Amino acid sequence: MTLRHRIAQADRPLYGGWICSGSPVMAEIMADSGLDWLMIDMEHGPIGLSETQAMLQVAAAYPATTVVRVPANDAVWIKQVLDLGAQTIMVPMVSTAAEAEAAVAHASYPPRGHRGVGNALARSGRWNRVDDYLQNAAEYTSVIVQIETAEGVQNAEAIAAVDGIDGVFVGPSDLAASMGLIGRQTHPDVVAAVERAFAGVRAAGKPVGVNAFVESAARAYVEAGARFVLVGADVGLAARGAERLARTFLPAGDGEGRASY
């Protein structure tokens, strides 16, 4: 099921987990955790095509909906990830409607776009076992784009209004950096910019999402209209859990936990 369909069916916001480790074992643990959706991160994680396919395969046994964030708004990356069987892709660093149009074109077969036809050779069309895949590929795929810059916030409504864009995900970390506030995702000016992006996306009638690893921030963004939220990452959960374990058994250090992402 695509994230678009999952959101449309849900009567509440969807909460997800970020997979950065590249580990199919960790992906399976997260997939069976009860979270609604997972994002496999090829942009920042040490994750290639083979690892992505393995994680899609193990996650398929569980209810969580999977999303793959491609490394860039690139025709080859998007074609290959879709052929692996990813049903929802997330495209980073989209700041204009033209860039959103490009993402849709990369993900669409002609005449809408220029995605290469390889479904008979790939997991996407189950090696030619999905009879109507080519004719109805838009029903089997979903395109989410990320707004991560101040320019993107200004263009949020136009980006979301592009035909074929199924949702917009706002990234506060890169947005903060673009505003000269790097590392300060919860600064009031950053939060206000995120909420301006929300308003633009919602005005276009599309669902909006965000990542927020601090519970209070996540709940505030849900109140502001977020329909899908990333609330933790596999590597962050492991790191913070290991630190708590060390503090339990080893002499106390400064007693302070590290800040979340």
Side-chain angles (χ1 to χ4, degrees):
M1 180 186 295
T2 70
L3 188 62
R4 175 182 78 245
H5 290 106
R6 186 74 180 263
I7 291 169
Q9 293 177 11
D11 58 1
R12 60 169 177 79
L14 302 180
Y15 296 96
W18 204 326
I19 309 298
C20 305
S21 65
S23 165
V25 173
M26 188 65 80
E28 186 166 13
I29 291 169
M30 296 285 282
D32 195 31
S33 67
L35 289 166
D36 296 307
W37 65 288
L38 306 177
M39 187 183 78
I40 298 168
D41 188 8
M42 297 182 73
E43 184 188 13
H44 290 300
I47 300 173
L49 294 170
S50 295
E51 293 90 349
T52 297
Q53 179 164 293
M55 287 187 280
L56 288 170
Q57 288 170 326
V58 300
Y62 302 97
T65 296
T66 51
V67 176
V68 178
R69 179 161 72 172
V70 295
N73 192 358
D74 175 83
V76 175
W77 276 117
I78 289 173
K79 170 184 65 178
Q80 290 184 306
V81 168
L82 288 174
D83 279 349
L84 292 181
Q87 291 187 294
T88 303
I89 58 167
M90 184 179 291
V91 181
M93 288 292 178
V94 170
S95 297
T96 66
E99 291 170 354
E101 288 276 7
V104 174
H106 298 335
S108 303
Y109 290 128
R112 178 68 179 86
H114 45 250
R115 177 184 171 189
V117 179
N119 66 300
L121 310 174
R123 185 170 178 266
S124 57
R126 297 302 186 266
W127 304 277
N128 220 20
R129 292 170 181 162
V130 180
D131 292 335
D132 65 343
Y133 186 84
L134 290 177
Q135 293 74 25
N136 296 295
E139 284 300 305
Y140 295 113
T141 58
S142 182
V143 178
I144 308 293
V145 294
Q146 275 194 273
I147 286 177
E148 304 182 83
T149 64
E151 181 186 14
V153 172
Q154 293 176 345
N155 295 323
E157 184 172 356
I159 290 168
V162 169
D163 183 39
I165 294 299
D166 298 307
V168 175
F169 190 82
V170 183
S173 295
D174 279 303
L175 177 56
S178 83
M179 296 172 64
L181 295 165
I182 192 167
R184 302 174 70 185
Q185 298 94 310
T186 57
H187 188 282
D189 291 348
V190 178
V191 173
V194 171
E195 292 182 353
R196 285 197 300 276
F198 280 18
V201 175
R202 295 178 70 192
K206 301 290 177 67
V208 67
V210 69
N211 69 275
F213 290 3
V214 175
E215 182 181 352
S216 58
R219 294 192 183 281
Y221 282 138
V222 166
E223 287 295 319
R227 296 282 290 128
F228 56 111
V229 187
L230 281 177
V231 291
D234 59 348
V235 292
L237 293 168
R240 303 295 82 80
E243 289 158 7
R244 285 193 296 272
L245 188 65
R247 288 196 300 271
T248 299
F249 290 99
L250 299 175
D254 59 16
E256 295 182 4
R258 294 184 180 273
S260 185
Y261 178 78

